[in-house]
Amino acid sequence: MLQLFIPLGFLGIVYRQIKYALADMDLVFKLLEREPEIVDRPDAKPLRLSEGGIRFEQVDFHYQPERKILHGLEFAIEPGQKIAVVGHSGAGKSTLARLLFRFYDVTGGRILIDGQDLRDLTQASLRAAIGIVPQDTVLFNDSIRFNLAYGRPGATFQEIERAAEMAHIRAFIESLPDGWETVVGERGLKLSGGEKQRVAIARAILKRPRILIFDEATSSLDSHTEQAIQQTLSEVAEDHTTLVIAHRLSTVVDADRILVMEQGRIREQGTHRALLEAGGHYASMWELQKREGVEALP
Ligand code: ATP
């Protein structure tokens, strides 16, 4: 009887391990399911990246044909410029980022990088040129060193340390009992929203992309953390063409141009100062926030 018990106990352990592995697979499939398959054209060419200028020309988009999301969007981001997009929840801001990264193809019009239509390019070359700091960063159940290095496999430890330094997360990492070998993620140390964003910024720094997309976290960070992240982002954004999906006013004030989106259309655009002077929608949003003392955009 005892003999029978031991193997069964052992099987129990194996079963639990398999269950964990399957739970992970489940997650992977769920993630995969979310993105429809974009396939490279047979004659797709690698992106010839020069300055990193972006152009949206009459872009239409829908996820489902019965519900149009973007209507004839037209704007350009000159090389090295920082453009911020603001607007109510559901206006279509994050959709712009998804189209630029080509998780989806436009349903009308076109998007160009340095004059090349994204649909003519290989996805690998496009994604190598773009770094994304997403709203919610996915962390692997692995060491924090591994999680940062993911930005550029093959980076040296010195480069990883330097990126962590620039993202203002190095001191935090080195203060942990296990330092760089600390396991993070679901089954390890849980990082705060601000810490996760810094990991994402460090990854983007390591990747050194020409184009940077920053999808600002909607969840509120304390104002000290937010300021620090803001500062880091401004430093990193220098010399990059940057698209910021903004939820807070502090992010947009220094942008070269602000696009104010409403129901999939650009309602206004200009610098913070010009939009205030125009006295339109942005100006009333600004006034409203000042009166209410609210920091976040609607
Ligand atoms: P928020 O400020 O809340 O992040 P947003 O302006 O970034 O909002 P988007 O995420 O671009 O808005 O979404 C625009 C619209 O598209 C929303 O109405 C949303 O419900 C819809 N949408 C977004 N993703 C999908 C999807 N995968 N399938 C179907 N509809 C979607």
Side-chain angles (χ1 to χ4, degrees):
M1 201 55 193
L2 188 66
Q3 270 172 337
L4 190 64
F5 257 158
I6 295 166
L8 281 182
F10 171 72
L11 274 182
I13 294 169
V14 171
Y15 168 73
R16 273 198 299 281
Q17 283 177 347
I18 291 174
K19 206 171 80 170
Y20 278 134
L22 287 179
D24 280 350
M25 286 308 288
D26 213 31
L27 188 69
V28 168
F29 283 129
K30 270 200 194 110
L31 287 172
L32 288 177
E33 240 173 60
R34 271 180 33 190
E35 310 300 351
E37 209 176 329
I38 296 281
V39 181
D40 282 353
R41 286 185 177 166
D43 58 346
K45 295 193 173 53
L47 170 67
R48 279 171 288 105
L49 193 63
S50 50
E51 297 183 293
I54 300 168
R55 206 167 198 91
F56 276 59
E57 286 183 355
Q58 292 302 318
V59 168
D60 292 329
F61 180 70
H62 57 246
Y63 292 97
Q64 286 107 15
E66 60 279 10
R67 186 157 169 252
K68 241 180 137 177
I69 302 291
L70 300 180
H71 309 263
L73 283 199
E74 181 88 30
F75 67 92
I77 314 180
E78 302 305 330
Q81 266 193 342
K82 174 178 164 183
I83 298 287
V85 187
V86 302
H88 292 280
S89 179
K93 304 182 294 293
S94 300
T95 301
L96 296 187
R98 289 179 205 129
L99 293 179
L100 193 54
F101 208 62
R102 215 174 155 216
F103 280 139
Y104 302 90
D105 272 334
V106 297
T107 49
R110 55 185 193 157
I111 303 175
L112 307 169
I113 293 183
D114 287 339
Q116 299 149 77
D117 189 322
L118 299 195
R119 290 166 297 186
D120 297 334
L121 302 174
T122 60
Q123 291 169 77
S125 68
L126 175 70
R127 290 177 187 170
I130 302 178
I132 294 197
V133 178
Q135 276 199 26
D136 199 12
T137 302
V138 177
L139 294 177
F140 300 104
N141 284 296
D142 208 312
S143 68
I144 190 136
R145 180 208 296 255
F146 175 90
N147 271 280
L148 257 75
Y150 174 74
R152 183 159 52 91
T156 66
F157 187 51
Q158 277 74 19
E159 288 170 322
I160 297 171
E161 281 179 318
R162 172 95 190 98
E165 176 98 39
M166 284 177 75
H168 300 283
I169 196 176
R170 183 173 173 177
F172 164 77
I173 295 170
E174 290 174 354
S175 75
L176 297 168
D178 291 329
W180 286 93
E181 301 314 317
T182 305
V183 173
V184 293
E186 280 309 300
R187 276 174 253 146
L189 178 72
K190 305 262 192 305
L191 298 188
S192 73
E195 288 153 2
K196 278 204 232 170
Q197 278 222 313
R198 283 179 219 209
V199 169
I201 292 172
R203 282 177 181 166
I205 292 170
L206 269 178
K207 190 171 173 182
R208 287 191 241 116
R210 191 109 244 355
I211 297 167
L212 192 63
I213 301 174
F214 185 70
D215 200 347
E216 193 177 63
T218 35
S219 55
S220 54
L221 305 171
D222 67 77
S223 63
H224 175 73
T225 307
E226 200 211 305
Q227 262 181 4
I229 289 193
Q230 204 47 57
Q231 171 70 26
T232 310
L233 179 69
S234 312
E235 290 163 16
V236 177
E238 263 175 41
D239 316 322
H240 291 72
T241 305
T242 310
L243 178 71
V244 181
I245 315 292
H247 293 100
R248 278 177 280 275
L249 281 180
S250 49
T251 317
V252 304
V253 173
D254 71 333
D256 294 300
R257 199 147 29 95
I258 301 163
L259 309 181
V260 184
M261 280 189 75
E262 196 177 63
Q263 293 180 5
R265 292 188 167 83
I266 296 174
R267 177 151 171 189
E268 294 170 354
Q269 53 179 308
T271 59
H272 173 70
R273 183 175 291 272
L275 286 170
L276 284 189
E277 277 167 11
H281 188 58
Y282 180 83
S284 42
M285 272 162 51
W286 179 260
E287 277 309 310
L288 186 72
Q289 284 188 49
K290 264 207 322 208
R291 265 207 308 279
E292 294 180 351
V294 182
E295 271 207 9
L297 286 165

